[in-house]
Amino acid sequence: MVKIFTDIDLDGLGCGVIAKIAFGERANIFYCSYRNLNQRVETFLTKSESAQEELYITDLAVNSEVEKKLMERFRQGKHVRVIDHHVTAMHFNEYEWGTVKTEYEDGKKTCATSLFYDELIRTGKLERNKALEAFIDLVRQYDTWEWDENQNFTAKRLNDLFYILNREQFEEEVIQRILHHKDSFSLTDEENRLLDIEEQKIQRYIQSKNRQMVQTFVDNYCVGIVHAEQYLSELGNALNNLNPHLDLIALLNVGGKKIGFRTIHDEVNVAEFAQKYGGGGHRKASGADLTKEAFETYVAHAFHLIPLKPDADRNEFNLKESAVGSSYQNHNGEISYIVPEEKGQISIIHKGERLDIRFPTYLDAERHLKRNYSSWLRNDKEYLEHLTKVLKIPLDELKENYDEIISSRFVDIIGV
């Protein structure tokens, strides 16, 4: 028999697919999380029959105690292979039985599925298959988020399909498709129709969660916090893009006692951030158990915070990067303006006072404003009604001569 312990996500499932194609009925796959991996591997190692079995651990890393037991197993001449692509597992490269690689020689990022395939091809336990390789690359692109860079939506839709279907059904569908259509791999028309409906659900979910998110500072990082139990990768990426002033997003699953971290910023390493709570992962996507410390920080402390309000997105007058200034507000009723100055510099006027700091770009100024005051771009209706009262000008006249009026009477506006 061949025992494979692998992750519960699409990349882990990909390893399972490869194992079943390579080993057939000899493959015995255990889908695990980092919470139960160590216990399951230890249980396997204690069984007498395990000595004759091949052992693969993919896409997950065991703790130091189990690591020592694997080292002893290998010393006794028994089969052990650990294959991973997470930075936090790099120390397994110190062993003959460990392969951890984050990227290939050509710069492409790896995933456990692609590395497992490479291993079985190298050892002669699997023959090359174009359809399988196409499937593997879709898994790799999704898991590394490369699909977002090159707009390969098929990779994302494959992951969506994985979560729509149960694991057994998805696994069987993929294996049969690969075995019977060896030249290519693609989704069916029926699957694409199903995924179109699912995409609409995801977008509604993202908009809903964007309105529920709060922000706070954790270890000098500006963190968005939201409770979420599904579509975590899509949600984390979307919330980061909708709120680029945040350093990272914390995705809470209190029922499952888990917390995920996502970022889009190269200078932020959420794998290291997650280690504080006993977790790990990739630089831009990681997770951990919801420890007591994490609960206090992300649930108890954040409970009283008011959700961020999204920027107005249908304005015609109060626009971002406006030559006459852009108006913002926060939950305390504090009004701010981002205003262009001479020599291309940008300033912020908050509560009628110009901040001492100057910014090289509008985005830098907005980032400072949102991080420090939790402000949002005011919508036209509320802002224009405010201006008509302050300037005592009819609404039609204000709209007709908006730029001229704002420029000439800006002092009157911010002095209120």
Side-chain angles (χ1 to χ4, degrees):
M1 294 292 290
V2 181
K3 290 292 175 75
I4 299 97
F5 294 89
T6 190
D7 203 356
I8 58 176
D9 63 1
L10 180 64
D11 193 20
L13 183 282
C15 294
V17 167
I18 291 173
K20 287 195 173 182
I21 291 176
F23 303 113
E25 294 183 358
R26 293 178 57 227
N28 191 356
I29 302 165
F30 292 88
Y31 290 103
C32 311
S33 70
Y34 56 84
R35 297 177 67 184
N36 59 19
L37 171 68
N38 296 301
Q39 182 269 326
R40 287 189 171 187
V41 174
E42 279 192 291
T43 299
F44 166 76
L45 294 174
T46 59
K47 295 180 179 179
S48 58
E49 62 268 25
S50 70
Q52 285 73 46
E53 296 183 277
E54 294 181 46
L55 171 61
Y56 294 91
I57 302 173
T58 63
D59 204 31
L60 289 169
V62 297
N63 63 23
S64 58
E65 293 181 5
V66 180
E67 181 181 331
K68 293 175 183 177
K69 293 179 180 180
L70 293 177
M71 183 170 56
E72 177 61 21
R73 174 184 170 88
F74 184 80
R75 190 187 66 79
Q76 295 173 1
K78 302 170 187 175
H79 184 273
V80 183
R81 289 297 291 154
V82 171
I83 298 171
D84 202 352
H85 66 127
H86 297 100
V87 175
T88 48
M90 291 296 288
H91 61 283
F92 282 97
N93 282 328
E94 298 172 6
Y95 304 110
E96 289 182 54
W97 43 270
T99 298
V100 182
K101 185 185 295 187
T102 60
E103 63 179 39
Y104 289 110
E105 289 71 18
D106 60 4
K108 283 188 177 182
K109 295 178 181 177
T110 64
C111 71
T113 302
S114 65
L115 292 173
F116 188 38
Y117 179 73
D118 295 342
E119 166 75 11
L120 297 186
I121 292 293
R122 182 184 65 81
T123 55
K125 296 179 179 180
L126 184 64
E127 294 183 359
R128 290 196 174 278
N129 179 308
K130 289 184 179 179
L132 179 55
E133 290 178 354
F135 167 76
I136 290 170
D137 198 55
L138 290 176
V139 173
R140 185 192 64 79
Q141 288 194 48
Y142 181 79
D143 197 67
T144 61
W145 217 253
E146 185 182 302
W147 75 267
D148 190 49
E149 298 174 12
N150 58 27
Q151 297 295 285
N152 185 352
F153 291 101
T154 302
K156 177 188 179 300
R157 290 167 80 83
L158 179 68
N159 184 73
D160 291 344
L161 185 65
F162 168 60
Y163 281 102
I164 292 174
L165 304 179
N166 63 60
R167 181 187 294 121
E168 292 77 15
Q169 181 184 359
F170 180 85
E171 185 179 75
E172 184 61 24
E173 289 278 351
V174 168
I175 290 173
Q176 292 304 315
R177 197 168 304 176
I178 289 170
L179 292 178
H180 292 92
H181 304 279
K182 295 186 177 182
D183 291 331
S184 64
F185 180 88
S186 61
L187 301 178
T188 66
D189 291 342
E190 182 179 353
E191 288 169 344
N192 278 311
R193 283 193 293 271
L194 181 62
L195 289 165
D196 287 340
I197 297 172
E198 185 70 6
E199 182 61 29
Q200 295 173 13
K201 289 173 59 179
I202 293 173
Q203 292 307 313
R204 288 195 296 268
Y205 188 74
I206 289 170
Q207 293 304 318
S208 171
K209 291 303 174 181
N210 190 41
R211 294 183 177 277
Q212 296 173 15
M213 187 169 62
V214 301
Q215 82 173 42
T216 190
F217 278 88
V218 180
D219 297 341
N220 296 319
Y221 288 107
C222 191
V223 181
I225 303 172
V226 67
H227 290 258
E229 297 180 351
Q230 55 184 330
Y231 310 126
L232 299 187
S233 292
E234 294 89 343
L235 179 63
N237 189 65
L239 293 180
N240 269 296
N241 283 305
L242 289 169
N243 304 276
H245 69 284
L246 298 172
D247 294 315
L248 60 103
I249 305 292
L251 304 160
L252 300 174
N253 182 344
V254 177
K257 295 183 179 179
K258 297 179 182 179
I259 182 168
F261 302 103
R262 301 291 188 274
T263 187
I264 58 173
H265 303 292
D266 293 338
E267 68 274 14
V268 178
N269 186 336
V270 294
E272 292 182 356
F273 190 83
Q275 287 179 347
K276 179 178 180 180
Y277 310 103
H282 301 289
R283 288 186 62 88
K284 295 188 178 181
S286 65
D289 286 334
L290 189 60
T291 62
K292 181 178 179 181
E293 180 185 0
F295 183 89
E296 288 296 324
T297 300
Y298 299 97
V299 181
H301 169 71
F303 184 76
H304 71 281
L305 299 176
I306 302 174
L308 294 173
K309 188 171 180 179
D311 292 326
D313 61 355
R314 299 182 181 180
N315 284 357
E316 296 180 34
F317 297 93
N318 186 36
L319 303 174
K320 295 189 177 188
E321 302 190 69
S322 170
V324 295
S326 309
S327 182
Y328 290 72
Q329 183 177 342
N330 63 19
H331 285 299
N332 295 326
E334 299 168 342
I335 304 298
S336 305
Y337 294 89
I338 299 180
V339 185
E341 293 189 345
E342 296 180 357
K343 298 181 180 180
Q345 289 190 316
I346 308 294
S347 66
I348 293 176
I349 298 172
H350 180 67
K351 296 172 60 177
E353 298 290 334
R354 194 179 301 269
L355 302 186
D356 292 336
I357 186 172
R358 297 294 182 272
F359 303 91
T361 70
Y362 179 92
L363 291 178
D364 289 320
E366 185 184 52
R367 183 173 185 270
H368 180 90
L369 184 63
K370 286 178 172 288
R371 289 167 69 92
N372 291 279
Y373 302 108
S374 300
S375 302
W376 62 84
L377 185 72
R378 301 165 74 183
N379 66 63
D380 272 352
K381 184 176 184 300
E382 181 271 330
Y383 180 49
L384 295 179
E385 287 179 354
H386 172 74
L387 291 180
T388 59
K389 293 177 182 178
V390 171
L391 303 176
K392 302 186 182 334
I393 295 176
L395 182 59
D396 290 343
E397 181 182 342
L398 176 61
K399 289 182 176 180
E400 185 175 349
N401 304 285
Y402 178 80
D403 286 1
E404 181 182 344
I405 291 173
I406 298 298
S407 298
S408 62
R409 301 195 59 183
F410 191 66
V411 174
D412 297 329
I413 295 170
I414 64 172
V416 176

